[in-house]
Amino acid sequence: MSRYSLGIDYGTSSCRSVLVDLENGDEVAEAVYLYQSGEAGIIVSATDANVARQDPRDYVEGLRLTVSGALSAAATAIEGFLPSEVVSVGFATTGSTPLPVDESGEPLAFNPEFTDRPAAYAWLWKDHTAHAEARAITEAARLLRPEMIDACGGTYSAEWFWAKIWHCLATDPEVFAAAASWVELCDFVAGVITGTSRPDVLKRSVTAAGHKALYSDRWGGLPDTEFLAGLAPELAELRGRLYDRAYPTTDIAGYVTPAWAELTGLEVGIPVAVGHFDAHAAGVAGGVRTGTFVKVMGTSTCDVTVIDETESGVPPIIPGMCGMVSDSMVPGKLSIEAGQSAVGDIFNWFADKLAGRSDISAALSELGILAEALQPGEHGLLALDWFNGNRSVLVDQRLSGTIIGMTLHTEQHHVLKALVEATAFGARRIIQSIEDAGAPLDRIVAAGGLPSHAPWMIQTYADILGREVLTARTTQGSALGAAIVSAVAAGEFASIEAAQDVLVHFSDLEYRPDPAKVEVYDRLYEEFVSVHDAFAANGPLGQVMKTLLDVRDSTLAATA
Amino acid sequence: MSRYSLGIDYGTSSCRSVLVDLENGDEVAEAVYLYQSGEAGIIVSATDANVARQDPRDYVEGLRLTVSGALSAAATAIEGFLPSEVVSVGFATTGSTPLPVDESGEPLAFNPEFTDRPAAYAWLWKDHTAHAEARAITEAARLLRPEMIDACGGTYSAEWFWAKIWHCLATDPEVFAAAASWVELCDFVAGVITGTSRPDVLKRSVTAAGHKALYSDRWGGLPDTEFLAGLAPELAELRGRLYDRAYPTTDIAGYVTPAWAELTGLEVGIPVAVGHFDAHAAGVAGGVRTGTFVKVMGTSTCDVTVIDETESGVPPIIPGMCGMVSDSMVPGKLSIEAGQSAVGDIFNWFADKLAGRSDISAALSELGILAEALQPGEHGLLALDWFNGNRSVLVDQRLSGTIIGMTLHTEQHHVLKALVEATAFGARRIIQSIEDAGAPLDRIVAAGGLPSHAPWMIQTYADILGREVLTARTTQGSALGAAIVSAVAAGEFASIEAAQDVLVHFSDLEYRPDPAKVEVYDRLYEEFVSVHDAFAANGPLGQVMKTLLDVRDSTLAATA
């Protein structure tokens, strides 16, 4: 009899269930559901580009259809497949994607009274409406609770839990008042399938809590009421209706209910793990462990590793990390998250907006062939990958993309190569920051969707990092990671590491640095660092990009 | 009876004769000849991109066909036109474009023995084969004759007279040995039509001599033999076969010979002025005088003005000027030349190479409409216009183009606007350098081909310079300038200024600065200067562009 774990990944525009064979990590069946609401699953606003909401009906419908779909696919693909062979279920979702719920745990969006109120829907990770609240939280925390803000890189983001909820209070107080609690998407879906939706029984994920809700055992869970009251009394009052404790993702959230067994074809009582964030789950599927640095590369890049907890329990200072959470990826370890705000997005932007190509993917493929043939430095260019700000190591959204070294002979493939190199230099700078803090990295893994699209990019990374780069075999890292972690939660493996040893595989493609290229790139990296540091806030050109953005913003405001 | 002056302009790919009515400056007839040799008139090399030569046959044939063509056109266009109404002839040509000649003044290229020897042809201004010689001349002059190199901006160029001749000696000593002398194109054509080709009688233009051959009365004409011998004994020996004295362009070079009267239809004995360089002639046609700054804008931009001579005769130090010559544009005044190595070329590069448009002019027109509508700073970008190095004020070819401030929302017309602004910021920096040296400028004129193509660009210049910008009415400034100067030489006007008062006209289009835009651009100019100075050789990022170019060059050399 085989054993399978079901990983369910909620992305930005779709969700997907993937069935993983616990003998070998093979992904044996899957089903995808495209969200039906809004534009590609996102409810937007004609008047405010910052709005990005989702309809929780898509989550519930996607759960039913992809789980049943994956099981049907398995029945077709695998001779003698039995639903009882599915021994665990896990979720990995976008985040912070909080939604307001009533006392039963039902989304307010399901209440006819709030159907036409965007605030009652799920606030998708990329919703940026709460930037003013984020700034205020950052300032208050820096002044009053520096330890809290240190853990998330020194700046609280408009994309995160408290900023969004506070913005709901400020802009739709009725929805705020009607919310019995707020739950993260990863907890919501786990609650649905296990019948534990009621906010007072729902187990909250430490990954979601620690990253985005400023949760830590060090200060007794969520931020204290005094701090929250300083932001808004209503937030302090809400704290008691949230949660006191968050759980590692290797804990069991609950068990599949008879109703959901009926809806999906799963057996009743299958254990379901506490929900995960997609990037962290992908980190697990990329083999994250002490000394292993996993880059989950897509439109942006999320970098993860884990280090040992310090004796004091106070995380070490590693400049530029955007989150450090105990137990988030590997129980007993401190997870470290860094990131690059745009990676694949930059290449797509270039092909689409600058090169003006209608078929982006054909353009990148065609230009990629030419770019691959260029020797390091042959194009004479150096770029900064700050087209969407710099998440790590500068933690500064008010920075922008730059290309230096253009001549009248510069061609499109030169620029594409320089942009790829810029993201690799940025990656090297992040690795340098972690290693400088005393956490050596002996294995670099490129995961996510990007590596399989452009092997030459990964070779460029190897040459710029001066290290071998492994690529994850899976292209569904988040789903695979959710399957792995839930298998650990269900007791199928003794630890994350033990599960990874069986279930994580790397591609056969080898990306080893070419010493001659490394030498040139070492020289160019020095120049990258010079320019990087010059345009950083405290550098000699630190005011330039900020002035450009200030002038742009005030011009746009004046003409709006 | 009317009076006309004939201006003949030798450009890079064609020459053109323009007949100018001396009553009012109207251009009443013209004829163009496209050079027939090489690619668009340029003899290139498959193995060396630096080679750019021309066949003097094109010069002679173009002279015959455009002069006769312009006279025919005048006979058609003007009732009762008589060739005897043409009272002066003047030349404006590219330069430094020297060619080796025999004792009779015949180009060596006409000698069957040298037909297949590129060194025997004219060395077009943009021939860059002599970069090593230029560097050696710069170094020697800095050490031994700093006053000579100060007059040409501190760096001798590969495009200039001595470097090219030395390179001929180094690479084709037979041609060098066969050359009785070397003449600049502007002197060559004046010699042909006046029968004064013989090197020992040919009058050499001070514009050509002073700018490119290091000629000045202050050190007795051409560089002394001791200095030249230090470069190569053969150059010192050549000096005696060049010239001792150079003449202002308001002098008469000679008179149209019977043979050329027969060939062209001109009357015998019409006075022909000493030849001019095209940019300086265009400066005259743009109204250059003390306080007037004329930008001759095309693929690159040549900026000219004149100032009073100092009492000592030693020119003032104005950082970043690329040439200062007595009597070159206005007798008795010191001409000042600055420039931007690429202007129109940058916009063409952008449309062609970066935006990938097949129809460059349609693309610039289409994107220009969008760019014009942008408010200052709205695109959030700042660029450096160094795509072909920086001629003024840094006099540094090893600098490169840069664009700062890009985001995932940056579009093509944003970049085009930023590139136009970059050239205008560069222009402002040049004006600042001249005014800081104590030479106030009260009139700015945009001349050359570019202004008529894109009025919005000139408005952007007005907003960035914070001054009104006049545009020359003529689009054939070099030919008009040659006609004006030769009319002065022929005694038709008492002075250049008197001729300009009658013959120079500005467009009715008004480009006045918008105070609200000036305010924003003043702020952005501060940032431009910060970035400009940071990447300058002695700035905190001074090594960056040079390293990029070094790495590029050594990579290309290694793979060649």
Side-chain angles (χ1 to χ4, degrees), chain A residues 311-400:
Chain A
E311 281 187 25
S312 66
V314 178
I317 300 288
I318 308 184
M321 301 301 109
C322 38
M324 297 174 119
V325 182
S326 298
D327 301 325
S328 177
M329 280 183 294
V330 180
K333 303 272 187 184
L334 186 66
S335 77
I336 295 180
E337 183 180 336
Q340 291 173 269
S341 313
V343 176
D345 269 350
I346 300 177
F347 315 143
N348 292 338
W349 162 81
F350 173 71
D352 174 19
K353 294 283 175 62
L354 203 57
R357 302 293 187 99
S358 51
D359 185 336
I360 294 177
S361 130
L364 289 178
S365 157
E366 176 197 318
L367 294 171
I369 291 168
L370 298 170
E372 180 175 9
L374 294 170
Q375 293 300 308
E378 181 176 346
H379 50 48
L381 303 174
L382 182 69
L384 294 174
D385 60 320
W386 302 349
F387 289 74
N388 194 22
N390 178 300
R391 195 175 293 157
S392 302
V393 296
L394 298 175
V395 199
D396 187 347
Q397 292 188 342
R398 293 186 74 72
L399 293 173
S400 46

Side-chain angles (χ1 to χ4, degrees), chain A residues 340 381-383 385 418 420-430 461 464-465 521-522 524-526 528:
Chain A
Q340 291 173 269
L381 303 174
L382 182 69
D385 60 320
V420 168
E421 290 166 343
T423 66
F425 286 136
R428 179 164 166 176
R429 184 65 192 80
I430 292 170
Y461 270 64
I464 284 180
L465 300 178
Y521 278 132
D522 279 350
L524 294 174
Y525 179 64
E526 276 182 46
F528 175 84

Side-chain angles (χ1 to χ4, degrees), chain B residues 74 307 509:
Chain B
I307 61 173
L509 292 170

Side-chain angles (χ1 to χ4, degrees), chain A residues 349 354 401 406 410 527 543, chain B residues 349 354 401 406 410 412 527 543:
Chain A
W349 162 81
L354 203 57
M406 287 174 286
T410 299
E527 301 306 332
Q543 87 295 351
Chain B
W349 162 81
L354 203 56
M406 287 174 285
T410 300
Q412 289 181 345
E527 300 306 334
Q543 86 295 350

Side-chain angles (χ1 to χ4, degrees), chain B residues 158-525:
Chain B
E159 296 185 356
W160 297 348
F161 191 77
W162 289 110
K164 284 171 168 167
I165 295 173
W166 191 7
H167 191 69
C168 175
L169 168 65
T171 56
D172 196 338
E174 281 183 17
V175 165
F176 181 88
S181 189
W182 288 73
V183 299
E184 280 283 352
L185 169 54
C186 66
D187 299 328
F188 171 72
V189 283
V192 166
I193 200 167
T194 60
T196 62
S197 294
R198 244 180 54 201
D200 55 340
V201 301
L202 183 68
K203 278 190 173 173
R204 314 293 188 123
S205 163
V206 76
T207 302
H211 259 68
K212 317 298 185 190
L214 297 175
Y215 174 97
S216 172
D217 288 341
R218 284 190 291 137
W219 49 83
L222 292 171
D224 57 276
T225 49
E226 185 189 343
F227 176 77
L228 292 173
L231 305 178
E234 294 88 341
L235 292 179
E237 190 270 330
L238 172 67
R239 186 185 190 279
R241 292 181 278 121
L242 293 171
Y243 50 92
D244 293 323
R245 189 181 156 198
Y247 296 82
T249 54
T250 46
D251 273 24
I252 290 173
Y255 302 88
V256 173
T257 62
W260 275 90
E262 178 73 24
L263 284 170
T264 59
L266 286 168
E267 300 264 299
V268 175
I270 303 297
V272 177
V274 168
H276 222 315
F277 269 2
D278 47 11
H280 281 218
V284 171
V288 76
R289 56 182 59 184
T290 304
T292 294
F293 182 72
V294 181
K295 295 186 68 63
V296 185
M297 303 176 70
T299 52
S300 65
T301 289
C302 184
D303 304 324
V304 291
T305 187
V306 294
I307 61 173
D308 293 334
E309 296 277 2
T310 58
E311 281 185 25
S312 66
V314 178
I317 299 289
I318 308 184
M321 299 303 106
C322 38
M324 296 175 118
V325 183
S326 298
D327 303 323
S328 178
M329 279 182 294
V330 181
K333 303 271 187 186
L334 186 67
S335 77
I336 295 181
E337 182 180 336
Q340 291 174 267
S341 314
V343 177
D345 269 351
I346 300 176
F347 314 144
N348 292 338
W349 162 81
F350 173 71
D352 175 19
K353 293 285 177 61
L354 203 56
R357 301 294 188 99
S358 51
D359 185 337
I360 292 177
S361 130
L364 290 177
S365 158
E366 175 197 318
L367 294 171
I369 291 168
L370 298 170
E372 180 175 8
L374 293 171
Q375 295 300 308
E378 181 176 346
H379 50 48
L381 303 175
L382 182 69
L384 294 174
D385 60 321
W386 302 349
F387 289 73
N388 194 21
N390 177 299
R391 196 174 293 157
S392 301
V393 297
L394 298 174
V395 199
D396 188 347
Q397 292 186 343
R398 294 185 75 72
L399 293 172
S400 46
T402 291
I403 305 173
I404 298 164
M406 287 174 285
T407 73
L408 300 172
H409 304 289
T410 300
E411 300 188 40
Q412 289 181 345
H413 64 288
H414 298 160
V415 176
L416 177 61
K417 180 84 176 239
L419 293 172
V420 168
E421 290 166 343
T423 66
F425 286 135
R428 179 166 167 174
R429 184 66 191 79
I430 291 169
I431 289 171
Q432 184 191 324
S433 186
I434 295 172
E435 295 200 320
D436 285 352
L441 298 170
D442 56 24
R443 193 168 70 161
I444 310 289
V445 180
L450 202 60
S452 63
H453 281 98
W456 71 269
M457 291 187 191
I458 305 305
Q459 182 58 49
T460 303
Y461 270 64
D463 293 331
I464 284 179
L465 300 178
R467 310 172 186 229
E468 183 178 13
V469 176
L470 298 173
T471 51
R473 189 185 66 178
T474 182
T475 55
Q476 300 300 338
S478 299
L480 175 59
I484 292 171
V485 175
S486 66
V488 175
E492 295 291 324
F493 296 94
S495 66
I496 293 287
E497 289 88 342
Q500 287 172 323
D501 288 341
V502 175
L503 304 176
V504 171
H505 299 276
F506 298 106
S507 156
D508 292 335
L509 292 170
E510 290 189 345
Y511 301 100
R512 292 180 200 281
D514 172 338
K517 293 182 176 176
V518 170
E519 195 179 331
V520 178
Y521 278 132
D522 279 350
R523 190 166 170 203
L524 294 174
Y525 179 64

